[in-house]
Coordinates of all heavy atoms in Angstrom, one line a residue:
M165 N 78.0 -89.4 57.0 CA 77.3 -88.2 56.8 C 78.3 -87.1 57.3 O 78.4 -86.0 56.8 CB 76.0 -88.0 57.4 CG 75.0 -88.8 56.7 SD 74.6 -88.0 55.1 CE 73.1 -88.7 54.7
E166 N 79.0 -87.3 58.5 CA 79.8 -86.3 59.0 C 81.0 -86.0 58.1 O 81.4 -84.8 58.0 CB 80.3 -86.8 60.4 CG 81.2 -85.8 61.1 CD 81.6 -86.3 62.6 OE1 80.9 -87.1 63.2 OE2 82.6 -85.7 63.0
F167 N 81.6 -87.1 57.5 CA 82.7 -86.9 56.6 C 82.2 -86.0 55.5 O 83.0 -85.1 55.0 CB 83.2 -88.2 56.1 CG 84.3 -88.0 55.0 CD1 85.6 -87.6 55.4 CD2 84.0 -88.2 53.7 CE1 86.7 -87.5 54.5 CE2 85.0 -88.0 52.8 CZ 86.3 -87.6 53.1
C168 N 81.1 -86.3 54.9 CA 80.5 -85.5 53.8 C 80.4 -84.0 54.1 O 80.7 -83.2 53.4 CB 79.2 -86.0 53.3 SG 79.3 -87.7 52.5
H169 N 80.0 -83.8 55.3 CA 79.8 -82.4 55.8 C 81.2 -81.8 56.0 O 81.3 -80.6 55.6 CB 79.0 -82.4 57.1 CG 78.9 -81.0 57.7 ND1 78.1 -80.1 57.2 CD2 79.5 -80.4 58.8 CE1 78.1 -79.0 57.9 NE2 79.0 -79.2 58.9
L170 N 82.1 -82.5 56.4 CA 83.4 -81.9 56.7 C 84.1 -81.6 55.3 O 84.8 -80.6 55.2 CB 84.4 -83.0 57.4 CG 84.1 -83.2 58.9 CD1 84.9 -84.3 59.4 CD2 84.4 -81.8 59.6
V171 N 83.9 -82.3 54.3 CA 84.5 -82.1 53.0 C 83.6 -81.3 52.1 O 83.9 -81.0 50.9 CB 85.0 -83.4 52.3 CG1 86.1 -84.0 53.1 CG2 83.8 -84.3 52.0
G172 N 82.5 -80.9 52.5 CA 81.6 -80.1 51.8 C 80.9 -80.7 50.6 O 80.6 -80.1 49.6
K173 N 80.6 -82.1 50.8 CA 79.9 -82.8 49.7 C 78.5 -83.3 50.2 O 78.5 -83.5 51.5 CB 80.8 -84.1 49.3 CG 82.1 -83.7 48.7 CD 81.8 -82.9 47.4 CE 83.2 -82.5 46.8 NZ 83.0 -81.8 45.5
P174 N 77.6 -83.5 49.4 CA 76.3 -84.0 49.8 C 76.4 -85.4 50.3 O 77.2 -86.2 49.9 CB 75.5 -83.9 48.5 CG 76.2 -83.2 47.6 CD 77.7 -83.2 48.0
G175 N 75.5 -85.8 51.3 CA 75.5 -87.1 51.8 C 74.7 -88.1 51.0 O 74.9 -89.3 51.0
E176 N 73.9 -87.7 50.1 CA 73.1 -88.5 49.2 C 73.8 -88.6 47.9 O 74.3 -87.6 47.3 CB 71.7 -87.9 49.1 CG 70.9 -87.9 50.3 CD 70.7 -89.3 50.9 OE1 70.4 -90.2 50.2 OE2 70.7 -89.4 52.2
A177 N 73.8 -89.9 47.3 CA 74.5 -90.1 46.0 C 73.9 -89.2 45.0 O 74.6 -88.6 44.1 CB 74.4 -91.6 45.7
A178 N 72.6 -89.1 44.8 CA 71.9 -88.4 43.8 C 72.3 -86.9 43.8 O 72.6 -86.3 42.8 CB 70.4 -88.5 43.9
D179 N 72.4 -86.4 45.1 CA 72.8 -85.0 45.3 C 74.3 -84.8 44.9 O 74.7 -83.8 44.3 CB 72.6 -84.5 46.6 CG 71.1 -84.6 47.1 OD1 70.3 -84.4 46.1 OD2 70.9 -84.6 48.3
G180 N 75.1 -85.8 45.1 CA 76.5 -85.8 44.8 C 76.7 -85.8 43.3 O 77.5 -85.0 42.8
L181 N 75.9 -86.7 42.6 CA 76.0 -86.7 41.1 C 75.6 -85.4 40.5 O 76.2 -84.9 39.5 CB 75.2 -87.9 40.6 CG 75.8 -89.3 40.9 CD1 74.8 -90.4 40.5 CD2 77.1 -89.4 40.2
A182 N 74.5 -84.8 41.1 CA 74.0 -83.5 40.6 C 75.1 -82.4 40.7 O 75.3 -81.6 39.8 CB 72.7 -83.2 41.2
Q183 N 75.7 -82.4 41.9 CA 76.7 -81.4 42.2 C 77.9 -81.7 41.2 O 78.4 -80.7 40.7 CB 77.2 -81.5 43.6 CG 78.3 -80.5 44.0 CD 78.7 -80.6 45.4 OE1 78.3 -81.5 46.1 NE2 79.5 -79.6 45.8
A184 N 78.3 -82.9 41.0 CA 79.5 -83.1 40.1 C 79.1 -82.8 38.7 O 80.0 -82.2 37.9 CB 79.8 -84.7 40.2
G185 N 77.9 -82.9 38.2 CA 77.4 -82.6 37.0 C 77.5 -81.0 36.8 O 78.0 -80.6 35.7
D186 N 77.1 -80.3 37.8 CA 77.2 -78.8 37.8 C 78.6 -78.4 37.7 O 79.0 -77.5 37.0 CB 76.5 -78.2 39.1 CG 75.0 -78.4 39.1 OD1 74.4 -78.8 38.1 OD2 74.4 -78.3 40.2
E187 N 79.5 -79.0 38.5 CA 80.9 -78.7 38.5 C 81.5 -79.0 37.1 O 82.3 -78.2 36.6 CB 81.7 -79.4 39.5 CG 81.3 -79.0 40.9 CD 81.9 -79.9 42.1 OE1 82.5 -80.9 41.7 OE2 81.6 -79.6 43.2
L188 N 81.1 -80.1 36.4 CA 81.6 -80.4 35.1 C 81.2 -79.4 34.1 O 82.0 -78.9 33.3 CB 81.0 -81.9 34.7 CG 81.4 -82.2 33.3 CD1 83.0 -82.3 33.1 CD2 80.8 -83.6 33.0
H189 N 79.9 -79.0 34.2 CA 79.4 -78.0 33.2 C 80.1 -76.6 33.3 O 80.4 -76.0 32.4 CB 77.9 -77.8 33.3 CG 77.1 -79.0 32.8 ND1 77.1 -79.4 31.5 CD2 76.4 -79.9 33.4 CE1 76.4 -80.5 31.3 NE2 76.0 -80.8 32.5
T190 N 80.4 -76.3 34.6 CA 81.1 -75.0 34.9 C 82.5 -75.2 34.3 O 83.1 -74.3 33.7 CB 81.2 -74.8 36.4 OG1 79.8 -74.6 36.8 CG2 82.0 -73.5 36.7
A191 N 83.2 -76.3 34.5 CA 84.6 -76.5 34.0 C 84.6 -76.4 32.5 O 85.5 -75.9 31.9 CB 85.2 -77.8 34.6
L192 N 83.6 -77.1 32.0 CA 83.5 -77.1 30.4 C 83.3 -75.8 29.9 O 83.9 -75.3 28.8 CB 82.5 -78.1 30.0 CG 82.9 -79.6 30.2 CD1 81.6 -80.5 29.7 CD2 84.2 -80.0 29.4
A193 N 82.5 -74.9 30.5 CA 82.3 -73.5 30.1 C 83.5 -72.7 30.2 O 83.9 -71.9 29.3 CB 81.1 -72.9 30.9
D194 N 84.3 -72.9 31.3 CA 85.5 -72.2 31.5 C 86.6 -72.6 30.4 O 87.3 -71.8 29.8 CB 86.2 -72.5 32.9 CG 85.4 -71.9 34.0 OD1 84.6 -71.0 33.7 OD2 85.6 -72.3 35.1
L195 N 86.6 -73.9 30.0 CA 87.4 -74.4 29.0 C 87.1 -73.8 27.7 O 87.9 -73.4 26.9 CB 87.5 -76.0 28.9 CG 88.2 -76.6 27.8 CD1 89.7 -76.3 28.0 CD2 88.0 -78.2 27.8
E196 N 85.7 -73.8 27.4 CA 85.3 -73.2 26.2 C 85.8 -71.7 26.0 O 86.2 -71.3 24.9 CB 83.8 -73.3 26.1 CG 83.2 -73.6 24.7 CD 81.7 -73.9 24.8 OE1 81.4 -75.0 25.2 OE2 81.0 -73.0 24.4
T197 N 85.6 -70.9 27.1 CA 86.1 -69.6 27.2 C 87.6 -69.5 26.8 O 88.0 -68.7 26.0 CB 85.8 -68.9 28.5 OG1 84.4 -69.0 28.7 CG2 86.3 -67.5 28.6
Q198 N 88.3 -70.4 27.5 CA 89.8 -70.3 27.2 C 90.1 -70.7 25.8 O 91.0 -70.1 25.2 CB 90.5 -71.4 28.2 CG 91.9 -71.4 28.0 CD 92.6 -70.2 28.6 OE1 92.2 -69.6 29.6 NE2 93.6 -69.7 28.0
L199 N 89.4 -71.7 25.2 CA 89.7 -72.0 23.8 C 89.3 -71.0 22.9 O 90.0 -70.7 21.9 CB 88.9 -73.4 23.5 CG 89.4 -74.6 24.2 CD1 88.4 -75.8 23.9 CD2 90.8 -75.0 23.7
A200 N 88.3 -70.2 23.2 CA 87.8 -69.1 22.3 C 88.9 -68.0 22.3 O 89.0 -67.3 21.3 CB 86.5 -68.5 22.9
K201 N 89.7 -67.9 23.3 CA 90.8 -66.8 23.4 C 91.7 -67.0 22.3 O 92.3 -66.1 21.7 CB 91.4 -66.7 24.7 CG 90.6 -66.1 25.8 CD 91.5 -66.2 27.1 CE 90.6 -65.6 28.3 NZ 91.5 -65.7 29.5
G202 N 92.1 -68.4 22.1 CA 93.1 -68.7 21.1 C 94.5 -68.2 21.3 O 95.2 -68.1 20.4
D203 N 94.8 -67.9 22.6 CA 96.2 -67.5 22.9 C 97.2 -68.6 22.6 O 97.0 -69.6 23.2 CB 96.4 -66.9 24.4 CG 95.6 -65.7 24.6 OD1 95.3 -64.9 23.6 OD2 95.1 -65.4 25.7
L204 N 98.3 -68.3 21.9 CA 99.4 -69.3 21.7 C 99.9 -69.6 23.1 O 100.2 -68.7 23.9 CB 100.3 -68.9 20.8 CG 99.9 -68.8 19.3 CD1 100.9 -68.2 18.4 CD2 99.4 -70.1 18.8
G205 N 100.3 -70.9 23.3 CA 101.0 -71.2 24.6 C 100.0 -71.6 25.7 O 100.4 -71.9 26.8
E206 N 98.7 -71.5 25.4 CA 97.8 -71.8 26.4 C 96.9 -73.0 25.9 O 97.2 -73.6 24.8 CB 96.9 -70.6 26.8 CG 97.7 -69.5 27.4 CD 96.8 -68.3 27.8 OE1 95.6 -68.5 27.9 OE2 97.3 -67.3 28.1
V207 N 95.9 -73.4 26.7 CA 95.0 -74.5 26.2 C 94.4 -74.0 24.9 O 93.9 -73.0 24.7 CB 94.0 -74.7 27.3 CG1 93.0 -75.7 26.8 CG2 94.6 -75.2 28.6
R208 N 94.5 -74.9 24.0 CA 93.9 -74.6 22.6 C 93.6 -75.9 21.8 O 94.0 -77.0 22.2 CB 94.9 -73.8 21.8 CG 96.2 -74.5 21.5 CD 97.2 -73.6 21.0 NE 98.5 -74.3 20.5 CZ 99.4 -74.7 21.4 NH1 99.3 -74.4 22.7 NH2 100.5 -75.3 21.0
L209 N 92.8 -75.7 20.8 CA 92.5 -76.8 19.8 C 93.3 -76.5 18.6 O 93.4 -75.4 18.1 CB 91.0 -76.8 19.5 CG 90.0 -77.3 20.6 CD1 88.6 -77.1 20.1 CD2 90.3 -78.8 20.8
T210 N 93.8 -77.6 18.0 CA 94.6 -77.4 16.7 C 93.6 -77.4 15.7 O 92.3 -77.7 15.8 CB 95.6 -78.6 16.6 OG1 94.9 -79.8 16.4 CG2 96.6 -78.7 17.7
S211 N 94.1 -77.2 14.4 CA 93.1 -77.2 13.3 C 92.5 -78.6 13.0 O 91.5 -78.8 12.4 CB 93.8 -76.7 12.0 OG 95.0 -77.6 11.8
D212 N 93.2 -79.7 13.5 CA 92.7 -81.0 13.5 C 91.8 -81.4 14.6 O 91.3 -82.6 14.6 CB 93.8 -82.0 13.4 CG 94.8 -81.8 12.2 OD1 94.3 -81.4 11.2 OD2 96.0 -82.2 12.4
G213 N 91.6 -80.5 15.6 CA 90.7 -80.8 16.6 C 91.4 -81.3 17.8 O 90.7 -81.8 18.7
E214 N 92.7 -81.3 17.8 CA 93.4 -82.0 19.0 C 93.5 -80.9 20.1 O 93.8 -79.8 19.8 CB 94.8 -82.4 18.5 CG 95.6 -83.0 19.6 CD 97.0 -83.3 19.1 OE1 97.4 -83.0 18.0 OE2 97.8 -83.9 19.9
L215 N 93.2 -81.3 21.2 CA 93.3 -80.5 22.5 C 94.7 -80.4 23.0 O 95.3 -81.5 23.3 CB 92.4 -81.0 23.6 CG 92.3 -80.2 24.9 CD1 91.8 -78.7 24.6 CD2 91.4 -80.9 25.9
I216 N 95.3 -79.2 23.0 CA 96.7 -79.1 23.5 C 96.6 -78.4 24.9 O 95.9 -77.4 25.1 CB 97.5 -78.2 22.6 CG1 97.5 -78.7 21.2 CG2 98.9 -78.0 23.1 CD1 98.1 -80.0 21.0
I217 N 97.2 -79.1 25.9 CA 97.2 -78.6 27.3 C 98.7 -78.5 27.6 O 99.3 -79.6 27.9 CB 96.4 -79.4 28.3 CG1 94.9 -79.5 27.7 CG2 96.5 -78.8 29.7 CD1 94.1 -80.5 28.6
P218 N 99.3 -77.3 27.6 CA 100.7 -77.3 28.0 C 101.0 -77.6 29.5 O 100.0 -77.4 30.3 CB 101.1 -75.8 27.7 CG 99.8 -75.0 27.6 CD 98.8 -76.1 27.4
P219 N 102.2 -78.0 29.8 CA 102.4 -78.4 31.3 C 102.4 -77.0 32.1 O 102.7 -75.9 31.5 CB 103.8 -79.0 31.2 CG 104.4 -78.6 29.9 CD 103.3 -78.3 29.0
L220 N 102.2 -77.2 33.3 CA 102.2 -76.0 34.3 C 103.7 -75.6 34.4 O 104.6 -76.4 34.5 CB 101.6 -76.4 35.6 CG 100.2 -76.6 35.7 CD1 99.8 -77.2 37.2 CD2 99.3 -75.4 35.4
T221 N 103.8 -74.3 34.6 CA 105.1 -73.7 34.9 C 105.2 -73.6 36.4 O 104.2 -73.8 37.2 CB 105.4 -72.4 34.3 OG1 104.4 -71.4 34.8 CG2 105.2 -72.4 32.8
A222 N 106.4 -73.4 36.9 CA 106.4 -73.3 38.4 C 105.7 -72.1 39.0 O 105.1 -72.3 40.1 CB 107.9 -73.1 38.7
K223 N 105.4 -71.1 38.2 CA 104.7 -70.0 38.8 C 103.2 -70.4 38.8 O 102.5 -69.8 39.5 CB 104.9 -68.7 37.9 CG 104.3 -68.8 36.5 CD 104.5 -67.5 35.8 CE 103.9 -67.7 34.4 NZ 103.9 -66.5 33.7
D224 N 102.8 -71.4 38.0 CA 101.4 -71.8 38.0 C 101.0 -72.8 39.0 O 99.8 -73.1 39.3 CB 101.0 -72.4 36.6 CG 101.1 -71.5 35.5 OD1 100.9 -70.3 35.7 OD2 101.4 -71.9 34.4
V225 N 101.9 -73.3 39.8 CA 101.7 -74.3 40.8 C 101.2 -73.6 42.1 O 101.8 -72.7 42.6 CB 102.9 -75.1 41.2 CG1 102.6 -76.1 42.3 CG2 103.5 -75.9 39.9
P226 N 99.9 -73.9 42.5 CA 99.4 -73.4 43.8 C 100.3 -73.6 45.0 O 101.0 -74.6 45.1 CB 98.0 -74.1 44.0 CG 97.7 -74.7 42.7 CD 99.1 -75.0 42.0
A227 N 100.3 -72.6 45.8 CA 101.1 -72.7 47.1 C 100.8 -73.9 47.9 O 101.7 -74.5 48.5 CB 101.0 -71.4 47.9
Q228 N 99.5 -74.3 48.0 CA 99.1 -75.5 48.7 C 99.8 -76.7 48.2 O 100.1 -77.6 48.9 CB 97.6 -75.7 48.7 CG 96.7 -74.5 49.0 CD 96.3 -73.7 47.8 OE1 97.2 -73.2 47.1 NE2 95.0 -73.7 47.6
A229 N 100.0 -76.8 46.9 CA 100.6 -77.9 46.3 C 102.1 -77.9 46.5 O 102.8 -78.9 46.4 CB 100.3 -78.1 44.8
D230 N 102.6 -76.7 46.5 CA 104.1 -76.5 46.5 C 104.7 -77.0 47.9 O 105.8 -77.6 48.0 CB 104.5 -75.2 46.2 CG 106.0 -75.0 45.9 OD1 106.5 -75.9 45.3 OD2 106.5 -73.9 46.2
A231 N 104.0 -76.6 49.0 CA 104.5 -76.8 50.3 C 104.7 -78.3 50.6 O 105.8 -78.7 51.1 CB 103.5 -76.3 51.4
P232 N 103.8 -79.3 50.3 CA 104.2 -80.7 50.5 C 105.4 -81.1 49.6 O 106.1 -82.1 50.1 CB 102.9 -81.4 50.1 CG 101.8 -80.4 50.1 CD 102.4 -79.1 49.9
A233 N 105.5 -80.6 48.5 CA 106.6 -81.1 47.6 C 107.9 -80.7 48.1 O 108.9 -81.4 48.0 CB 106.5 -80.4 46.2
R234 N 108.0 -79.5 49.0 CA 109.2 -79.2 49.5 C 109.6 -80.0 50.8 O 110.8 -80.1 51.1 CB 109.2 -77.7 50.0 CG 109.4 -76.8 48.7 CD 109.3 -75.4 49.2 NE 107.9 -74.9 49.1 CZ 107.4 -74.0 49.9 NH1 108.1 -73.4 50.8 NH2 106.1 -73.7 49.7
R235 N 108.6 -80.7 51.4 CA 108.9 -81.6 52.5 C 109.6 -82.8 52.0 O 110.4 -83.4 52.4 CB 107.6 -82.0 53.2 CG 106.9 -80.9 53.9 CD 105.8 -81.3 54.7 NE 104.8 -80.3 54.8 CZ 103.6 -80.4 54.9 NH1 103.0 -81.5 54.8 NH2 102.7 -79.3 55.1

C-alpha cells in the first residue's frame, strides 16, 4: 500500500482498473481531437483507416527523458 501511495496509484485492484479506464478514455478523447485537426505531419488516419504516428523530433522529447539519455 505504501508503494501505491508513493506512485499515486490506488491500492485496490478494482480502483486501479477504474483509474486506468478513465486514463484510457481521456487519452482516446485527446487522440480523437488530434485526428479531427487533420494537420499533415501529425497523428492522422489515412483514407484507408491506417493510423499514422510520426516519430518524435528532438524538440518533442521531454526534458525528463533527455537527461538520462545524456548520462
Side-chain angles (χ1 to χ4, degrees):
M165 286 289 193
E166 185 178 335
F167 175 77
C168 293
H169 179 71
L170 288 172
V171 296
K173 297 294 180 185
E176 297 295 322
D179 295 336
L181 289 172
Q183 182 181 7
D186 292 343
E187 291 169 358
L188 175 62
H189 289 294
T190 299
L192 290 174
D194 291 345
L195 176 60
E196 220 171 280
T197 300
Q198 184 66 38
L199 291 173
K201 287 181 184 179
D203 294 333
L204 292 177
E206 295 188 11
V207 174
R208 64 191 183 279
L209 285 175
T210 66
S211 59
D212 297 333
E214 182 181 3
L215 179 63
I216 305 295
I217 303 173
L220 291 175
T221 63
K223 68 178 182 175
D224 295 331
V225 177
Q228 308 92 297
D230 195 36
R234 282 183 269 153
R235 287 188 208 147

